[in-house]
């Protein structure tokens, strides 16, 4: 049993709308997988199909060797954390966490002392000891999130499924919880799938990132993989920023408006193509054979970096250029840009 | 605090109760509006209500007791309580089932069901009563069959019960549907993934979540079940001491020029209305917070 969860060509429609179109994915035991995609791409639907809250029309989901259609919701032992936590408002924190244990058939139910111990252990684990008696309305968003996670962990789930776990929290809390979740995962080793629309979150947290777009998995790979070698134009633009240049490939060179801009191509494309270049892969050069002339129109700050917006003749959108260690040009200055790295796709 | 090391704190949970000025009307306009509404309330609500109690007590405590403890009056009170004791639980079950179906599932004819639930509100109670006479009366569709089997519905307690259930059934459902819809199904789905059975989910998650709106619905339903006149009058036949509920009894007494006795029994119904009003107000406070809390999550 080397695969924890196998998703085999799952298809799901709502009325006539295809929410998932043939999604296949293997998840290894102990892996932390991010399902990343824009809003409406089918992330929640896929998570709900894995959990058994939604039935796929085609395809199947296996836990190990077992087809999940043969398992009841209880037998699936899924730790599902909803986007808005869905804590039981009328129950205290302790009752919330104990809910799964108390729901077991009488023969398998731990006795009250064991349940109490387990609840306080879990609160310890999520670094909120002593909160047993609080009610959900008396907790902050970040605390609620962690209680929901503890409640899911209490049933010793086979798989932990988190739907936008930090979606409703503010930026600072998100960052703290991200690091916290990473540590928790290292400590407990649960096979985990979490949904996010935040690419930074996915890249930072996950062992592997699965990118969904319009109900299809466009790419699955390590964060480095998907970031450095995006498989589709969509991923280029969705992961990080990318400038788009319509080019023509002749031989080993790409031409933008009859001007060679990128050489040494090994891909055998030929003809019109789309070139995607990240802002950090544009360098201001004095003069070079493969360079793109432009005018600096705007300068702005982007996190630790400064970024120039450069107008290039023949392009309706300005190019974003990161000014990492370079001397900043002045607005209105004519510069030349060299592309140090780009991703090329045959034009659709 | 145990989580002092963490940078986030409990959010400000105080409900926004700040007074708001709705618009820029001058104080005089405000004053006039308040006086007009109060005067209106006094004239059409407090004055009649007070007069009921005044009339009821006009002949003194002894006569009041007499009027209420008289056998026909006691029978009417018993019948009213009996009807409410059956109609209210029935409506609780129906209301929960209907609200559950409407809030948690998608199905064809859903909006039709919602409109049907409102039907008793839009139909005159007299018509509601007549429908049952049409169905179960001696000349009705099932009349001959009922007579042949020696069953009596119209001019008997079952008819009163049917009519009461019919006119009261929107009350519980109407309170529950919007509340359950606003709650969604995430709590239930969580409970199910945590391994709870359907029953356990219903009793430990769903029911506690809606308990205040359920109670509120029960309150209104009960008040109407005890106070219903029109529909019940049509099907009751007004057999004294047998098929007269409190409102019918009041009417009979009044028509027989026994004003004081009529008002004595009426004062009980008015008392019920007052208790309902007070409970309703108290609940609205509680309920407002509960709803606000459910929105915060
Ligand atoms: N219960 C539903 N009924 C109809 N359409 C749905 C339902 N759930 C999701 N969808 C549709 O399926 C698509 C994918 O939804 P979802 O999985 O929630 O996306 P994501 O979580 O990636 O934002 C969306 O277009 C959404 O409108
Ligand atoms: Mg979603």
């Amino acid at each position: 049993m080397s695969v924890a969860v196998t998703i085999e060509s799952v298809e799901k429609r709502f009325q006539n709308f295809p929410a998932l179109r043939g999604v296949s994915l293997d998840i290894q035991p102990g892996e932390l997988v991010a399902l990343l995609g824009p809003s409406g791409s089918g992330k929640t639907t896929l998570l709900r199909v894995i959990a058994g809250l939604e039935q796929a029309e085609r395809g199947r989901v296996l836990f190990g060797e077992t087809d999940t259609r043969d398992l009841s919701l209880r037998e699936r032992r899924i730790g599902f954390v909803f986007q808005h936590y869905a804590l039981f408002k009328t129950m205290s924190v302790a009752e919330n966490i104990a809910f799964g244990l108390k729901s077991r058939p009488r023969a398998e139910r731990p006795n009250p002392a064991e349940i109490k111990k387990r609840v306080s252990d879990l609160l310890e684990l999520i670094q909120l000891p002593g909160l047993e008696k609080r009610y959900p309305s008396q907790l902050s968003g970040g605390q609620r999130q962690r209680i929901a996670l503890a409640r899911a962990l209490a049933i010793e789930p086979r798989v932990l499924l988190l739907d936008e776990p930090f979606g409703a929290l503010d930026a600072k809390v998100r960052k703290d919880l991200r690091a916290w979740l990473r540590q928790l995962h290292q400590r407990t080793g649960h096979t985990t799938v979490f949904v996010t629309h935040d690419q930074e979150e996915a890249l930072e947290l996950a062992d592997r990132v699965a990118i969904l777009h319009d109900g299809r998995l466009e790419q699955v790979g390590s964060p480095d993989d998907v970031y450095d070698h995006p498989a589709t134009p969509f991923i280029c633009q969705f992961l990080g920023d990318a400038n788009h240049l319509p080019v023509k490939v002749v031989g080993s060179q790409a031409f933008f408006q009859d001007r060679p801009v990128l050489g040494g191509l090994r891909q055998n494309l030929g003809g019109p193509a789309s070139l995607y270049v990240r802002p950090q892969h544009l360098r201001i050069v004095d003069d070079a054979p493969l360079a793109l002339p432009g005018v600096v129109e705007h300068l702005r700050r982007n996190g630790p970096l400064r970024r120039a917006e450069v107008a290039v003749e023949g392009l309706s959108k300005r190019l974003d250029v990161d000014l990492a260690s370079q001397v900043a040009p002045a607005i209105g200055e004519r510069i030349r840009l060299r592309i140090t790295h780009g991703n090329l796709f045959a034009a659709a | 605090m145990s989580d002092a090391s963490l940078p986030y704190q409990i959010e400000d949970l105080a409900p926004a109760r700040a007074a708001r000025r709705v618009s820029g009307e001058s104080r005089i306009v405000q004053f006039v509006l308040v006086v007009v509404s109060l005067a209106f309330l006094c004239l059409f609500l407090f004055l009649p209500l007070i007069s009921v109690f005044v009339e009821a007590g006009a002949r003194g405590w002894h006569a009041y007791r007499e009027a209420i403890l008289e056998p026909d009056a006691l029978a009417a009170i018993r019948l009213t309580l009996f009807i409410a004791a059956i109609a209210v639980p029935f409506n609780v079950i129906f209301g929960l089932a209907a609200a559950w179906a409407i809030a948690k599932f998608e199905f064809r004819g859903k909006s039709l069901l919602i409109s049907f639930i409102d039907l008793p509100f839009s139909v005159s109670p007299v018509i509601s009563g007549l429908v049952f006479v049409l169905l179960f009366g001696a000349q009705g569709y099932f009349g001959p069959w009922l007579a042949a089997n020696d069953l009596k519905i119209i001019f008997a307690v079952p008819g009163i019960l049917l009519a009461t259930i019919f006119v009261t059934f929107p009350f519980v459902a109407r309170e529950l549907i919007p509340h359950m819809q606003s709650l969604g199904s995430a709590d239930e789905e969580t409970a199910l993934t945590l391994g709870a059975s359907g029953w356990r989910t219903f009793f430990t998650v769903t029911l506690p979540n809606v308990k205040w709106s359920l109670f509120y619905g029960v309150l209104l339903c009960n008040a109407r079940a005890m106070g219903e006149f029109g529909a019940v009058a049509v099907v009751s036949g007004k057999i004294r001491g047998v098929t007269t509920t409190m409102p019918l009894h009041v009417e009979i007494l009044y028509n027989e020029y026994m004003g004081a006795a009529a008002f004595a029994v009426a004062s009980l119904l008015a008392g019920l209305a007052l208790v309902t009003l007070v409970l309703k107000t108290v609940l609205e406070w509680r309920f407002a917070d509960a709803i606000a809390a459910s929105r915060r999550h």
Side-chain angles (χ1 to χ4, degrees), chain A residues 14-15 17 19 37-46 54 163-164 195:
Chain A
F14 290 110
Q15 286 88 47
F17 179 83
S39 166
S41 56
K43 309 180 294 290
T44 299
T45 307
L46 182 55
E54 214 80 72
D163 193 358
E164 310 242 359
V195 159

Side-chain angles (χ1 to χ4, degrees), chain A residues 48 51 53 73-74 77-80 82 84-91 96 98-104 126-131 134 136-144 146 151-152 155 172-173 176-177, chain B residues 1-13 106 179 183 185-198 200-201 203-212 290-297:
Chain A
R48 289 173 62 86
L53 293 169
L73 267 183
R74 173 186 287 163
R77 284 218 334 273
I78 291 290
F80 199 104
F82 282 80
H84 298 287
Y85 326 135
L87 288 179
F88 306 133
K89 295 175 280 297
T90 55
M91 298 182 204
N96 263 283
F99 188 88
L101 296 175
K102 289 187 188 161
S103 297
R104 287 187 184 169
I126 60 162
Q127 297 168 15
L128 293 175
L131 247 55
R134 292 268 191 95
S137 60
Q138 300 169 309
L139 301 173
S140 73
Q143 290 172 327
R144 281 180 207 162
R146 285 183 287 166
R151 179 177 64 181
I155 61 166
K172 176 80 178 80
V173 181
D176 292 338
L177 274 186
Chain B
M1 240 170 64
S2 50
D3 55 337
S5 62
L6 293 159
Y8 22 90
Q9 296 293 321
I10 294 173
E11 292 154 6
D12 181 14
L13 300 172
E106 290 303 324
H179 192 192
L183 289 174
S185 326
D187 281 14
E188 281 79 10
E189 287 180 338
T190 304
L192 293 173
T193 60
L194 288 170
S197 63
R200 179 168 157 79
T201 302
F203 284 109
T204 58
V205 175
T206 310
L207 210 51
N209 272 348
V210 298
K211 65 177 177 232
W212 289 118
I291 286 208
S294 73
R295 296 257 160 81
R296 274 203 296 268
H297 285 219

Side-chain angles (χ1 to χ4, degrees), chain B residues 11-45:
Chain B
E11 292 154 6
D12 181 14
L13 300 172
R17 286 241 172 82
R20 268 173 298 167
R21 279 200 63 171
V22 177
S23 55
E25 273 106 13
S26 73
R27 282 181 171 277
I28 297 171
V29 175
Q30 267 185 40
F31 180 77
V32 170
L33 286 175
V34 170
V35 166
V36 167
S37 355
L38 278 180
F40 195 83
L41 273 179
C42 283
L43 196 61
F44 289 95
L45 215 71

Side-chain angles (χ1 to χ4, degrees), chain A residues 36 198-204 207-211 219-243 276-281 302 305 307 322 341-343 345:
Chain A
L36 176 65
D198 180 345
Q199 38 114 357
E200 203 184 307
E201 199 165 279
L203 295 176
E204 188 182 319
D207 297 322
R208 276 197 309 157
V209 181
I211 299 165
Q219 192 175 5
V220 184
S222 71
D224 288 343
D225 237 8
V226 293
Y227 191 84
D228 292 335
H229 308 289
T232 64
F234 164 78
I235 295 176
C236 270
Q237 291 184 301
F238 184 65
L239 282 186
D241 303 320
N243 299 297
Y276 291 92
V277 184
R278 298 204 184 281
Q280 65 268 34
H281 293 141
N302 181 7
L305 300 173
R307 188 167 274 188
D322 274 352
H341 179 84
N343 291 294
F345 298 94

Side-chain angles (χ1 to χ4, degrees), chain B residues 51-67:
Chain B
S51 72
V52 168
F53 288 108
V54 169
E55 282 295 318
R59 299 267 171 86
W61 174 241
H62 188 72
Y64 183 83
R65 262 182 56 120
E66 201 82 313

